[in-house]
Amino acid sequence: MILELDCGNSLIKWRLLSAGAEVVDTGIVDSDDALIAALSQPDTPTLAACRLVSVRSDEETQQLKERLTATFAIPCHQAVPVEVWNGVRNGYRDHQRLGMDRWLVILAAVQLAEGKACVVLDLGTAVTADLVDAQGEHQGGFICPGIPLMRRELQTHTRRIRYDPHWASGERYEAPGRTTIEAVERGCLYMLKGFVRTQYELAQEMFAEGCEVFLTGGDAELVKHVVPGARIVPDMVFAGLALACPLENE
């Protein structure tokens, strides 16, 4: 069984893959301790290896790797920045400054695009967009706040906007809001949709031959109708991790 980890600043996403690359179990935890506990349940299959991507500090990441090896006696393989991978070229001036989560999503998108240009949008707490031409040249990208960050900034810096986001309806109406909750939630949604639409229009200008559009992340469903033909692909970071960090026992 292969353990895959996506180590963010506050949360760790994990999943277990069988020898046939089938997802057997998944979870999200908020600490190293919680991860060890989740993987130490009596019904957890025996682990053979781990591969991970991390945006944590090198020290924090190393501590987690050492703990996993000590606890489960498994090797831990970490995806690291590279300038070129299998014909895909990192477009940052300093390739090591591009976030590893973005790089892995780019690799997954290029594979799915099958020789076409592509734009991939990862819609989570922050939103990232990356554009890649048909030759695999990463053209750069954009980063902006996602809905959680936009909501938080309004609540933090605007005295009269105070509400519990848990009170907000899960339904995403687009009519003008008649309460503060509705106005904020719907305003943030329009901001997100506007960003996605702009990325699509930019990609059309840059790639006259056409391109594939991929959406991933927790808020992908909210914008899927903005771009005609956009494909929602869950867990693109893990798909890219498997490409960048293959294991012998797969």
Side-chain angles (χ1 to χ4, degrees):
M1 197 69 59
I2 294 172
L3 170 64
E4 294 186 323
L5 301 176
D6 178 4
C7 303
N9 291 307
S10 56
L11 298 175
I12 302 173
K13 298 179 182 178
W14 62 270
R15 70 179 191 174
L16 297 179
L17 297 184
S18 67
E22 179 182 351
V23 178
V24 174
D25 199 3
T26 64
I28 300 177
V29 294
D30 60 4
S31 68
D32 294 1
D33 288 342
L35 175 64
I36 298 298
L39 298 173
S40 299
Q41 298 301 311
D43 57 347
T44 301
T46 301
L47 303 179
C50 170
R51 62 182 165 216
L52 63 90
V53 56
S54 176
V55 297
R56 295 174 161 192
S57 68
D58 292 342
E59 182 179 359
E60 290 174 314
T61 303
Q62 186 61 31
Q63 288 176 352
L64 176 57
K65 290 164 62 176
E66 291 175 357
R67 189 169 177 185
L68 288 168
T69 297
T71 304
F72 301 107
I74 56 173
C76 291
H77 305 273
Q78 182 180 355
V80 296
V82 294
E83 189 169 3
V84 181
W85 180 89
N86 199 28
V88 184
R89 181 174 294 277
N90 190 317
Y92 261 30
R93 294 185 180 93
D94 178 356
H95 72 273
Q96 298 191 53
R97 302 296 296 176
L98 178 67
M100 277 304 303
D101 49 351
R102 285 176 64 192
W103 177 240
L104 296 181
V105 166
I106 289 168
L107 298 185
V110 170
Q111 183 186 58
L112 291 170
E114 298 180 331
K116 297 181 181 179
C118 61
V119 55
V120 54
L121 293 112
D122 191 345
L123 301 115
T125 302
V127 175
T128 63
D130 286 284
L131 299 97
V132 187
D133 67 19
Q135 289 71 48
E137 294 280 345
H138 176 222
Q139 302 298 302
F142 301 90
I143 304 173
C144 75
I147 286 179
L149 284 179
M150 286 190 278
R151 180 194 293 135
R152 190 180 309 157
E153 285 300 297
L154 284 171
Q155 292 176 306
T156 300
H157 298 291
T158 308
R159 290 185 179 181
R160 291 186 177 273
I161 295 182
R162 294 289 185 271
Y163 71 94
D164 185 340
H166 296 294
W167 296 347
S169 170
E171 299 182 41
R172 297 289 179 171
Y173 299 105
E174 297 186 4
R178 291 179 176 270
T179 67
T180 298
I181 295 175
E182 292 176 352
V184 170
E185 295 298 309
R186 297 175 192 184
C188 291
L189 177 59
Y190 269 115
M191 291 285 284
L192 187 66
K193 288 187 173 183
F195 178 80
V196 171
R197 186 176 294 109
T198 299
Q199 297 308 305
Y200 175 59
E201 293 170 352
L202 176 61
Q204 287 183 306
E205 294 176 6
M206 292 179 62
F207 308 130
E209 72 280 9
C211 68
E212 297 286 341
V213 180
F214 301 103
L215 307 175
T216 192
D219 285 336
E221 286 285 343
L222 299 179
V223 299
K224 64 181 180 181
H225 299 303
V226 173
V227 179
R231 297 163 59 183
I232 294 181
V233 185
D235 297 327
M236 285 189 80
V237 169
F238 283 133
L241 178 60
L243 294 172
C245 202
L247 301 176
E248 292 181 2
N249 53 345
E250 287 188 275

